Amino acid sequence: MNREQIDKNLRDAATTPTSFKETTTTDKTLPSELTTPSSKLVLVDSVHTLPVDYVPSTLKDDIYLKSTSEVIPIDEETGNKAKEMMQAANDAGISLYVVTGYRSYEDQQKYYTSRMELLNNSEDAKKQVQAAGCSEHQTGLAIDFTDDPSNAQPTTDFGKTDAGKWLYEHAHEYGFILRYPEGKEDITGYNYEPWHYRYVGVETATAIYEQGPDTTFEEYFNINTNENK
Ligand code: ZN
């Protein structure tokens, strides 16, 4: 993809961040749409991290999302689109539950510590769980799904279930992308997570999907991912 196409993709994305004050990164080579935490297109990974005190202003405790817990805090637009998507899945005979929406920096820190301990702090574990500040869940724009409400920790097998397959094929229609596709670990910096979907808006999600269902956010916006390797 050439520079012109990338610029066009960014213009087409046309998200207007509500605040330009905070940035995720000192990386001045990236456009502000990708570095502003409140932007729908914010890039969050092990290099581009969120401020410790960042809490989205659009968070809503959604009591109507079908989930494994009673209340899911989530970005309001993301929650509404998720509900629309889950309804469509339900109409197609697919059962989906939300495991996690927004997770605070502190909660991510606790989650990271406990998961790392469970995984014996191995090098590979770092590709399986995001450290605090590195998790898209802190943006309120990411959702982990399961088809089994008794299973709060989905595995890669989820990708082979009807629910996993349905999401893979249809999530973009509701503005969600598969954020960590299979075989793209070197680009995203994280292992395949068929349960983790990231809201970017219908237009961008569809454009990414149309370049191939395993196209990564990084590839679409031509982000230098050498640091993720
Ligand atoms: Zn997740």
Side-chain angles (χ1 to χ4, degrees), residues 22 34 50 55 70 80 84 91 95 115 134 166 176 179 207:
E22 330 111 325
L34 302 183
L50 292 163
V55 179
E70 263 173 41
N80 288 338
E84 208 183 296
D91 292 347
S95 234
R115 288 288 295 157
C134 306
W166 189 92
F176 292 88
R179 185 63 181 84

Side-chain angles (χ1 to χ4, degrees), residues 137 143-144 193 195-196:
H137 288 287
I143 298 182
D144 291 342
E193 289 193 5
W195 59 86
H196 179 108

Side-chain angles (χ1 to χ4, degrees), residues 1 10 16 24 62 72 92 98 114 119 122 155 184 194 220 223:
M1 202 191 298
L10 277 169
T16 314
T24 54
D62 205 312
I72 294 284
V98 171
S114 70
L119 300 164
S122 66
T155 68
K184 298 290 178 85
Y220 183 73
I223 293 157

Side-chain angles (χ1 to χ4, degrees), residues 115 124 127-129 144-147 151-165 167-168 178 180-185 190-197:
R115 288 288 295 157
D124 192 55
K127 290 191 163 194
Q128 292 183 43
V129 52
D144 291 342
F145 291 98
T146 183
D147 60 346
N151 181 9
Q153 190 68 59
T155 68
T156 51
D157 285 343
F158 178 68
K160 296 178 200 141
T161 65
D162 288 344
K165 286 182 200 159
L167 278 176
Y168 185 70
L178 173 66
Y180 308 112
E182 196 167 16
K184 298 290 178 85
E185 291 80 6
Y190 293 104
N191 284 355
Y192 173 47
E193 289 193 5
W195 59 86
H196 179 108
Y197 279 80

Side-chain angles (χ1 to χ4, degrees), residues 2 16 35 67 73 101 110 146 172:
N2 60 30
T16 314
T35 61
S67 67
K110 285 180 210 151
T146 183
H172 67 280

Side-chain angles (χ1 to χ4, degrees), residues 14 22 48 64 71 87 90 103 116 145 149 165 184:
E22 330 111 325
H48 305 91
Y64 301 106
V71 172
Q87 184 57 53
N90 192 58
R103 200 188 279 134
M116 286 299 278
F145 291 98
K165 286 182 200 159
K184 298 290 178 85

Side-chain angles (χ1 to χ4, degrees), residues 85-106:
M85 177 165 78
M86 290 162 83
Q87 184 57 53
N90 192 58
D91 292 347
I94 302 290
S95 234
L96 280 177
Y97 299 84
V98 171
V99 181
T100 306
Y102 166 74
R103 200 188 279 134
S104 70
Y105 186 97
E106 292 73 22

